[in-house]
Amino acid sequence: MTDVLIVGAGPTGLTLACDLARRGLGVRIVDKAPAHARSSRAKGPSPRSLEVLEDLGVVDAVLAAGAEPPLMRKYRGGVPVADADPYAGSSPTPTEPYDRGLLIAQWRLEEILRDRLAGYGVTVESGSEVAGLDDTGDSVTVSLADGSTVAAGYVVGCDGARSRVRKLLGVPFEGETHEEQVMVCGDVELIPGVLDRGVWHQWFDEDGAVMLCPIPGTRTGWWFQASPERDAEGRPVAPSEEGFRRLFARHTRLPAEHLTAAALLSTYRVNVRMVDRYRVGRVFLAGDAAHVHSIAGGMGMNTGIQDAYNLGWKLGQVLRGRAGAELLDTYEEERLPVAALTLDITSERLRATLAAVKLPGGGLDTAAVPASRAPDRGYRWSSLARTGANGTGGEGAGGDGSTGEDRDGLRAGDRAPDAPCTEAASGAPLRLFHAFAGPRFTLLGFGPGSDPVLREAVAAHGDAVRAVRVLDRGADGPTPAGPADLHDVGGHARTAYGIARDSVVVVRPDNHVGLIADAGDPGAVRRYLRALDGAGQPDASHPAGVVDGAREG
């Protein structure tokens, strides 16, 4: 029996498979497609997803294969009328290393993740379609279309908007389809030099639109999106290569033969739907199997990657016997509200974009979602977000008597900030994100008063935690620096975490703040870790895995 069977080998399923495999768990991943898709589809990872990919050890390959979002050029009547850079004036900060997403063909991102997964000895089982599920309460038996069966401790459906797993569970997919909001999409080839490949070209006319974005890693490949042709009754016409040429010529005013090929043609209708639960017994839903929405803002694939990153460490803790099965309930508790927020934001951005493109100069830059409004910033509502002396509220680490509900700045549940540091022993630069890397909890100790708390945690939890003292150079007493100690360059870490006195911050394996506690309250840290990593010694068949993903090639 395998620990986890993942159904669907898109970015969501592959992210989850990599996260589980690096923990030493038994993973199988099946996909009904007979071969790996070559569709470009989703345009790339968001800043938060890049952080996840960095933890998984693949961000360098992703950055090398992708490109930054280009300038957006808007046309009217075939004439350029406005250029826009949604990221003008934006740059990485000490706390956020990625200030914008990355363009990369989805097939290339999947290829990079499959390669990473293969390094753990796991390959995608293509041509394997799920036909049935039988949850016995102790395991799940999955029937495949070829008549074979797979027994698994847990099953995760990452199999897209038409999810077979969701349908077998009988989970409703409530929402609506906007039949009037239709696009035709595909990958096209243009004669070299016809259009500037440093620009995302967008033609918006009274009778329709064409958008062409260069596909990174190709000489002549472009993402093609357009309003569809319509028949005499006004119904959308199915996409075709000749139809794409006609649309191209109509809106760009360029010769139709400049578009030399079109593939992966599809019709896209806006669907806004989500499930009312993410878990049924030992079966979970993630990604498009749980939520679909407008493409405005580019959040679809990214929300799925975040689903996987949230679920992976929780499955790992339970399967290794480090936490009770109730921890798995927090997956739905944390991710369901994010899905609802994503549907709201993308629907609002679509409305704004449709209004903007009616006027000359309007374009897809209207859909760009500022980082401050993006989902996945944190889970402040979660039962896993603890602050203060009693683990649920009370006096915060700032020493101002504030609770987790009224703290300004960082709070338990939030995404853990990055910060530039140096290794105390060697002086080598090391970002906090690199200290977080790998499938474990990280304890940040600020001030000498945190030392006893860190030592106790390591003694109790071993390599399931990494204790890091964040030292203010020359201000932390005479204790010699250890190998895991970091110097806080410019005080960025202390500022980012809102530390005013000796404190301990527990960072979850998915790089969210779990607990902020005063160093004088070791019981808060003790209770928090015992709840999430204290259900007994790890199962001998599932040893604790520690992989420094950010440092691996």
Side-chain angles (χ1 to χ4, degrees), residues 279-408:
R279 179 187 185 186
V280 179
R282 288 179 167 266
V283 185
F284 300 85
L285 298 171
D288 286 355
H291 43 74
V292 293
H293 46 78
S294 159
I295 60 174
M299 296 185 189
M301 177 186 75
N302 291 291
T303 307
I305 288 174
Q306 298 303 322
D307 285 347
Y309 198 48
N310 183 286
L311 179 58
W313 74 272
K314 297 171 181 178
L315 282 169
Q317 288 298 98
V318 172
L319 282 163
R320 288 177 43 239
R322 305 292 302 207
E326 63 274 7
L327 176 62
L328 299 175
D329 293 332
T330 67
Y331 169 59
E332 177 180 302
E333 176 192 355
E334 293 182 340
R335 295 305 299 170
L336 193 62
V338 170
L341 176 61
T342 301
L343 265 63
D344 288 344
I345 289 177
T346 54
S347 294
E348 188 275 328
R349 287 294 83 199
L350 177 62
R351 288 191 293 269
T353 302
L354 291 175
V357 299
K358 292 178 181 178
L359 302 174
L364 299 185
D365 51 301
T366 306
V369 179
S372 61
R373 291 195 55 208
D376 298 314
R377 303 299 297 178
Y379 311 112
R380 291 184 176 184
W381 60 85
S382 172
S383 60
L384 300 184
R386 312 280 179 86
T387 303
N390 64 6
T392 58
E395 189 175 7
D400 57 1
S402 63
T403 68
E405 293 304 314
D406 58 16
R407 281 176 57 90
D408 292 329

Side-chain angles (χ1 to χ4, degrees), residues 84-103:
D85 179 0
Y87 302 99
S90 175
S91 60
T93 68
T95 60
E96 298 194 21
Y98 306 105
D99 68 312
R100 63 197 67 192
L102 189 79
L103 294 184

Side-chain angles (χ1 to χ4, degrees), residues 381-469:
W381 60 85
S382 172
S383 60
L384 300 184
R386 312 280 179 86
T387 303
N390 64 6
T392 58
E395 189 175 7
D400 57 1
S402 63
T403 68
E405 293 304 314
D406 58 16
R407 281 176 57 90
D408 292 329
L410 190 78
R411 289 179 6 201
D414 289 351
R415 163 196 169 274
D418 197 5
C421 298
T422 59
E423 294 179 337
S426 68
L430 184 75
R431 291 164 43 208
L432 274 187
F433 275 3
H434 286 194
F436 297 164
R440 58 193 162 198
F441 293 88
T442 303
L443 272 63
L444 300 178
F446 292 89
S450 67
D451 290 2
V453 185
L454 300 186
R455 286 196 298 268
E456 178 184 332
V458 171
H461 298 274
D463 63 3
V465 302
R466 181 179 186 182
V468 177
R469 294 194 305 171

Side-chain angles (χ1 to χ4, degrees), residues 226-252:
S227 305
E229 296 183 300
R230 295 183 180 270
D231 61 19
E233 284 74 40
R235 295 171 299 195
V237 174
S240 67
E241 185 171 319
E242 283 307 310
F244 274 24
R245 288 196 178 94
R246 288 190 294 268
L247 289 167
F248 173 81
R250 178 191 307 166
H251 293 288
T252 69

